[in-house]
Amino acid sequence: MLLVTGATGHIGRELVRELDVRGATFRVLVRDPARAAGLPERAERVVGDLDAPATLTTALDGVERLFLLVPGIGIEHTEHAIAAAKAAGVRHVVYLSSYAVIGDPIPAMGRWHHEREQLIRACGIPATFLRPCGFMTNAFDWLPTLRERGYVLDPVGPGRAAPIDPADIAAVAAVTLTEDGHEGEEYLLTGGEAFTVAEQVQILAKAIGRDIEVRTVATPAEAVRFRYPHGAPQALADALVEGLTLMRADTAGVRSDAVRRLLGREPRTFADWCARNAHAFPGPATA
């Protein structure tokens, strides 16, 4: 039996579909059963919350492998999940971490994931750490300004990144959950192509058939103020400024071949993602 947390998000929904195709026996942990609509019917639902340790006992009963996706910042959710997993006799944890943990020094966003990784290592349950870079679905963050004013804000200028399709992360997670030999491994997951934001916007513009203006932000701090006009918690604001500063400085873009090695195919392209999701963006008629 497998337990999937975060089953209603971008990665979780893709993961449960992958597990369903593989014929795996699994259940999903959901806070709100209504949000599980559309998940495979044979996926067992269990209502629980990583904020409420008492609800995890039933969720983990009989579970051998756990996919752990932890929301927000801090380590409390991870502490609750790992304590329950140990008590239930879970034999393998696949944790969705971040490529930011490989930084030197590790930035704030990476430190939160690093602390969780350390906690999982210390618990004694064999684990696999998936460390994806930025998601292609982050392009949905462009929707507010694109709908209202027809432009995309660019906070990183010359910085490049190799975004990954969450479906590829889910496919890798399914492999590591259903096949042996991944315990103790750390996989850096990226797309196959490194882009600037402006280059990504050009690809999206072609897919939706309209011109899109790109407005470069002068500083990362300005980008954070724009995203949180009423102010963000200081720790989050500082972490975002630090992260955007590092992204702006990386003009090559981190890439790895882990997706190809684990799945036996090349990563999905950003152009393919844009074509599949073009319906979510305003096209020429609404420009």
Side-chain angles (χ1 to χ4, degrees):
M1 173 67 76
L2 311 175
L3 176 66
V4 177
T5 65
T8 60
H10 289 306
I11 295 171
R13 285 188 177 273
E14 296 285 354
L15 174 55
V16 296
R17 282 193 277 268
E18 290 276 351
L19 295 174
D20 189 44
V21 168
R22 287 171 169 260
T25 302
F26 65 99
R27 68 173 61 122
V28 296
L29 178 72
V30 294
R31 287 181 294 179
D32 178 4
R35 294 194 62 193
L39 296 183
E41 285 300 319
R42 69 183 195 85
E44 180 184 340
R45 275 79 160 163
V46 59
V47 177
D49 193 328
L50 295 178
D51 273 327
T55 67
L56 303 180
T57 301
T58 300
L60 284 158
D61 183 37
V63 169
E64 295 182 336
R65 299 191 179 193
L66 168 65
F67 176 74
L68 184 59
L69 189 160
V70 181
I73 63 178
I75 64 172
E76 292 81 7
H77 289 144
T78 306
E79 290 175 331
H80 296 163
I82 293 305
K86 285 192 68 175
V90 170
R91 297 189 294 106
H92 182 202
V93 174
V94 175
Y95 171 61
L96 185 69
S97 184
S98 166
Y99 82 108
V101 302
I102 66 175
D104 184 17
I106 300 174
M109 290 292 189
R111 288 197 295 274
W112 295 327
H113 283 287
H114 178 71
E115 289 173 359
R116 294 167 183 167
E117 287 190 8
Q118 294 296 94
L119 181 65
I120 294 168
R121 284 192 180 93
C123 83
I125 302 175
T128 305
F129 298 128
L130 306 183
R131 296 169 172 170
C133 63
F135 300 170
M136 291 181 184
T137 47
N138 289 347
F140 289 135
D141 292 343
W142 301 338
L143 279 171
T145 56
L146 190 53
R147 284 174 176 155
E148 295 173 12
R149 304 174 190 174
Y151 72 85
V152 166
L153 209 64
D154 176 7
V156 296
R160 289 181 176 272
I164 185 168
D165 191 326
D168 281 343
I169 302 171
V172 168
V175 167
T176 60
L177 285 164
T178 60
E179 299 179 6
D180 294 328
H182 300 284
E183 296 84 349
E185 297 293 340
E186 303 164 353
Y187 296 125
L188 172 63
L189 306 178
T190 76
E193 304 165 283
F195 304 105
T196 64
V197 169
E199 288 168 347
Q200 283 185 266
V201 171
Q202 288 177 350
I203 294 169
L204 176 62
K206 182 177 181 181
I208 64 177
R210 64 172 291 185
D211 292 331
I212 303 174
E213 179 188 357
V214 178
R215 296 186 183 179
T216 303
V217 182
T219 66
E222 182 182 339
V224 174
R225 285 194 297 271
F226 184 90
R227 184 170 180 180
Y228 297 95
H230 303 295
Q234 194 60 50
L236 177 60
D238 291 344
L240 289 171
V241 168
E242 180 185 30
L244 290 172
T245 300
L246 291 171
M247 291 171 65
R248 182 173 289 203
D250 181 5
T251 57
V254 175
R255 279 183 285 179
S256 84
D257 65 351
V259 170
R260 179 174 54 78
R261 288 189 288 107
L262 291 164
L263 302 182
R265 61 166 175 79
E266 294 299 323
R268 292 173 172 88
T269 68
F270 186 63
D272 288 341
W273 183 90
C274 289
R276 296 198 315 271
N277 292 277
H279 63 278
F281 293 86
T286 57

